[in-house]
Amino acid sequence: SDETRRRRSILGLPMLPADHRFCLFWRMAMVLFDLTFTAFWVPVNVAFCVAHYGDIHHPCTRTDLAGGSIYMMNVLMNLQMSVVVVNGMQ
């Protein structure tokens, strides 16, 4: 029946429930990545790596590219995960 089939995302893949173990792991991993990358690496990069900005052979640019790739992967993963929206805690 239609009720037992999993819903599909924008990409046509099955959606993961909001309380699925992988969803919880992914969201916690992204919180930790965001706290470390945004809070520590970005300010250090802005302070000390401006002279080599855009040079792919420099480690600062490589880590920025890696961090941006992880954020892009997060956007794509979030299209596959359900979200529970509650209004008024009912």
Side-chain angles (χ1 to χ4, degrees):
S1 80
D2 290 329
E3 294 177 7
T4 58
R5 280 198 290 171
R6 287 186 132 173
R7 293 184 176 208
R8 301 239 175 232
S9 72
I10 296 172
L11 302 176
L13 300 172
M15 295 286 293
L16 289 175
D19 59 349
H20 192 272
R21 284 184 179 206
F22 181 75
C23 290
L24 299 174
F25 166 76
W26 182 260
R27 289 185 176 128
M28 287 307 300
M30 284 309 299
V31 165
L32 293 174
F33 176 76
D34 197 27
L35 287 174
T36 56
F37 186 78
T38 305
F40 297 107
W41 180 249
V42 171
V44 168
N45 195 11
V46 169
F48 300 111
C49 298
V50 177
H52 302 286
Y53 185 77
D55 180 12
I56 195 67
H57 301 295
H58 200 270
C60 292
T61 305
R62 289 182 187 165
T63 55
D64 273 350
L65 183 62
S69 300
I70 291 172
Y71 279 120
M72 190 62 202
M73 188 171 37
N74 183 43
V75 168
L76 294 175
M77 289 298 296
N78 281 325
L79 291 174
Q80 302 305 121
M81 298 181 196
S82 303
V83 177
V84 177
V85 179
V86 178
N87 183 13
M89 301 301 289
Q90 297 178 0

